[in-house]
């Protein structure tokens, strides 16, 4: 295969999505419906702090009203549920997300179930999971897999009739990704691989499209990849790197060096799927405002 695959530019695609969001937010605000997002962070996980910061900054940039609610690590389950309940009732807030992962004493499933499904812009509430499976367009699709679909679409990559292998079966990425690819929009033939899959490389070799969502740096190597395959790397792994000011560098789940010599298109890390996740969150917040406000 060619030595220079198409690099699928998540930054540029996200920028285009955000510009469209900016226009919609201005229109809605003129009509008296300013979309609002509340982001709740419990504890002081450094990666979570970065994610929460960029979510609220993006809101501010687009004109979306945002509330950042930072709670101490020792916040109890009941206290957190009370915060969620009051956000459910708050008319200025259309989207609510509780940043994952919360501290271990918090029952994350119970917190997700406490969020009003109409404000569940992460798309993790069982009602929205069901709507995704049912392909009900009023539901909220989890932002990362939705961003992957948007990237495939804008990069002009045909998924219909293609063999797709999704590596990872989490509720945040792998499962919704597989549903989207196999659904009416994707029309792909989908295999879901996971930690118990036997001979993963062979399973992946038949894929026209590989979505890697594993959480292991550089795990997918060239021997997994058929010539000309399309690679979407969801992984974000922090690797200690003393040459960086932050003390780490980011790498994906795909060994970009070797895989890019075989594939036809690939997302970089950073600058691929990551920026799309926030862009789709903004889209979901606007959708929530429209649905709640009947606009
Ligand atoms: P997770 O830990 O919940 O799931 C990982 C999945 O990988 C599991 O289903 C597991 O079965 C599978 N897996 C683990 N080892 C495997 C192996 N040896 N062979 C095959 N499968 C294996 O993680 P997640 O939340 O789905 O996230 C996956 C990656 O995506 C992480 O790197 C995470 O940081 C990244 N992520 C990125 C974004 C983004 O915005 N780009 C958003 C969410 C997650």
């Amino acid at each position: 295969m060619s030595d220079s695959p198409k690099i699928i530019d998540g930054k540029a695609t996200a920028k285009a999505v955000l510009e469209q969001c900016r226009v919609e937010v201005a229109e809605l605000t003129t009509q008296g419906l300013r979309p609002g997002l509340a982001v709740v962070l419990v504890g002081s996980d450094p990666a979570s702090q970065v994610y929460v910061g960029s979510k609220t900054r993006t809101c501010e940039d687009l004109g979306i009203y945002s509330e950042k609610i930072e709670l101490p690590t020792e916040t109890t389950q009941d206290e957190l549920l009370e915060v969620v309940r009051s956000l459910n009732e708050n008319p200025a807030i259309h989207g609510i997300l509780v940043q994952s992962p919360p501290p271990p004493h918090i029952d994350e499933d119970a917190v997700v179930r406490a969020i009003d499904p109409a404000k569940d812009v992460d798309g993790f509430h069982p009602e929205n999971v069901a709507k995704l499976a049912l392909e009900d367009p009023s539901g909220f699709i989890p932002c990362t897999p939705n961003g992957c679909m948007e990237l495939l679409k804008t990069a002009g990559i045909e998924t219909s009739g293609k063999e797709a292998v999704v590596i990872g079966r989490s509720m945040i990425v792998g499962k919704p990704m597989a549903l989207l690819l196999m659904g009416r929009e994707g029309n792909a033939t989908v295999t879901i691989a996971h930690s118990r899959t036997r001979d993963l490389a062979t399973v992946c070799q038949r894929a026209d499209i590989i979505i890697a969502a594993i959480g292991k740096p550089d795990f997918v190597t060239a021997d997994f990849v058929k010539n000309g395959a399309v690679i979407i790397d969801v992984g974000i792994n922090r690797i200690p790197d003393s040459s960086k000011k932050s003390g780490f560098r980011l790498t994906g789940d795909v060994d970009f060096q070797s895989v890019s010599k075989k594939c036809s298109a690939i997302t970089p890390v950073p600058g691929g799927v990551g920026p799309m996740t926030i862009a789709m969150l903004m889209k979901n917040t606007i959708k929530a405002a429209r649905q709640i406000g009947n606009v």
Side-chain angles (χ1 to χ4, degrees), residues 109 112-114 117 120 123-132:
D109 282 348
V112 166
R113 281 168 168 76
D120 167 42
F124 298 158
H125 188 285
E127 189 171 312
N128 285 311
V129 176
K131 284 184 173 179
L132 172 57

Side-chain angles (χ1 to χ4, degrees), residues 144 167-170 172-174 193-195 200 213-216 219 234-237 253 273-274 277:
T144 301
I167 318 175
R169 57 179 164 186
S170 73
I172 298 177
V173 193
H194 47 78
S195 53
L200 182 62
I214 312 153
K216 295 202 161 126
F219 183 82
V234 182
I236 300 180
N237 305 292
D253 289 346
V273 175
T277 297

